[in-house]
């Protein structure tokens, strides 16, 4: 499926110097093609892991406000998605993660803290770090 292809391309581009922004564009396209996959077939967790990847790239490339937006959406999905990401059939098996819901939520909170700190909101950064525990 096209969404999975763009995710794989984005991940490959992340590993190359100077292609981080191109990776973001691939992830954005992946979300466009993602469509309306249901929660039962892993759709919510797929969107969540793509948003996490986008947040990570945004943090590495100084796009802190964008990273915060993507990670905020990711955190909201993480709260309501059924089951655990490690149990979801992500992109028909083309992608997987070993993280439980709590592990992923903790990782996302730490990333949100980093984005807030870079944006100068130390109080909110500490709140996210507290939530990560």
């Amino acid at each position: 499926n096209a969404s999975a292809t763009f995710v794989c391309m984005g991940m490959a581009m992340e590993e190359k110097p100077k292609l981080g922004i191109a990776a973001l564009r691939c992830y954005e396209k992946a979300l466009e093609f993602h469509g309306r996959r249901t929660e039962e077939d892993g759709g919510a967790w797929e969107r969540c892991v793509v948003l996490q990847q986008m947040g990570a790239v945004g943090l590495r490339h100084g796009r802190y406000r964008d990273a915060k937006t993507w990670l905020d959406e990711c955190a909201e999905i993480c709260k309501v998605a059924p089951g655990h990401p490690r149990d979801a059939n992500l992109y028909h098996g083309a992608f997987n993660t070993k993280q439980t819901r709590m592990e992923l939520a903790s990782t996302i909170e730490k990333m949100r803290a980093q984005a807030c700190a870079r944006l100068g909101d130390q109080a909110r950064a500490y709140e996210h770090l507290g939530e990560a525990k």
Side-chain angles (χ1 to χ4, degrees):
N1 92 20
S3 185
T5 301
F6 278 107
V7 169
C8 291
M9 285 174 40
M11 292 175 74
M13 287 184 185
E14 273 189 72
E15 297 175 6
K16 305 293 181 194
K18 301 182 184 179
L19 290 181
I21 301 304
L24 279 177
R25 190 66 189 122
C26 286
Y27 293 139
E28 288 169 345
K29 278 304 217 188
L31 292 179
E32 285 178 33
F33 281 105
H34 187 263
R36 301 215 177 251
R37 298 220 34 222
T38 64
E39 292 178 355
E40 290 80 32
D41 67 2
W45 287 119
E46 287 175 352
R47 184 169 185 82
C48 190
V49 297
V50 171
L51 288 165
Q52 180 191 19
Q53 290 295 118
M54 292 174 74
V57 173
L59 288 171
R60 281 195 301 274
H61 291 275
R63 292 183 58 180
Y64 306 123
R65 197 162 310 284
D66 290 332
K68 182 180 178 321
T69 300
W70 296 319
L71 293 167
D72 288 348
E73 181 181 347
C74 182
E76 289 304 312
I77 293 169
C78 195
K79 290 177 187 174
V80 299
H84 296 280
R86 69 176 180 203
D87 300 329
N89 184 18
L90 303 174
Y91 295 105
H92 305 288
F95 182 82
N96 66 29
T97 180
K98 304 288 185 222
Q99 292 182 310
T100 65
R101 172 194 305 274
M102 293 303 293
E103 291 166 339
L104 180 61
S106 178
T107 298
I108 293 164
E109 289 304 320
K110 290 174 187 172
M111 294 169 75
R112 290 171 81 191
Q114 185 179 0
C116 287
R118 297 289 184 162
L119 291 168
D121 188 349
Q122 301 303 322
R124 191 72 182 122
Y126 284 116
E127 287 177 33
H128 287 300
L129 287 176
E131 292 173 25
K133 293 183 180 185

